[in-house]
Each structure stands twice: as C-alpha cells, then as structure tokens.
Amino acid sequence: MATVNMSIRTDPELKAQAEEILSQLGMTMNGTINMFLHQIVRDRAVPLSLALPRFLSTEETLQEDLRKAKADRLNGVQYLTVDEVLANMDRVISEAEAWDESNG
C-alpha cells in the first residue's frame, strides 16, 4: 500500500507530552495519527478517547481532584468510609455465595 508523508505544526512541548503519554500506552505518534484517521473515515466523526488510568494522575490532576472533593464536602456530599465499603463488599460476597449454594 502506498503512503504519503504529512507535515503538521505543533508546539514542541505539546508534542513531547503527547509522545510521553503515547509511549506509556505502548503507542507511537505515527500509529496513533493513522488510527485516528482510520476511525474518522469509518465513523464519519471525530472519535477516539484513550486515557491513562486515574492512578497515574499528574500532580495537577490530583490537586483538581482534591479541590473537587473539598467542594463536594462543603456542598454536603457524603462518601462512604473505607470500613463501610469493605462491609458492603463482604455483604455482597456473602449474598453471592449464598445464591450460588442455593442455585448451584
């Protein structure tokens, strides 16, 4: 299959940041751009949402998350404690095991 060279202009810092993220995803800039173009043609829309897991957040994202959590608390949003989450997990597991025993 014949190929054509493309040239784009972008900020060097943006390019470096994108290449770092793509590298972590096991991708190259060239491969990603080709994948993007194929998906545009196939879907007839601008697609593609790839992301690193949230646990690899940048410091800025972590700060944003903390600010949001603080704002949520000030607005009355309540979250479960770790103990409540674990208790709920234990309850669900017990219910699933009981269901398996009665239906197995």
Side-chain angles (χ1 to χ4, degrees):
M1 177 163 105
T3 61
V4 62
N5 286 328
M6 290 181 18
S7 178
I8 63 169
R9 296 184 190 276
T10 190
D11 177 73
E13 183 62 27
L14 175 64
K15 180 181 181 277
Q17 290 173 355
E19 285 176 327
E20 175 63 29
I21 292 169
L22 291 172
S23 174
Q24 291 177 39
L25 292 167
M27 301 171 73
T28 64
M29 184 72 71
N30 187 56
T32 302
I33 291 170
N34 277 310
M35 182 172 57
F36 184 72
L37 295 174
H38 280 285
Q39 194 142 3
I40 288 171
V41 171
R42 187 186 75 212
D43 296 344
R44 299 181 54 84
V46 178
L48 216 54
S49 176
L50 299 176
L52 293 173
R54 292 291 292 181
F55 62 86
L56 296 177
S57 296
T58 64
E59 185 176 334
E60 293 83 16
T61 303
L62 179 58
Q63 289 173 353
E64 289 172 22
D65 290 344
L66 291 172
R67 280 193 292 274
K68 182 183 180 316
K70 182 178 180 181
D72 285 349
R73 275 195 322 276
L74 293 173
N75 289 322
V77 175
Q78 295 182 353
Y79 296 97
L80 297 174
T81 66
V82 171
D83 290 335
E84 291 169 324
V85 170
L86 293 174
N88 286 343
M89 288 174 62
D90 288 340
R91 180 185 51 78
V92 169
I93 290 168
S94 294
E95 290 173 0
E97 288 172 341
W99 187 87
D100 280 346
E101 289 175 8
S102 66
N103 294 300

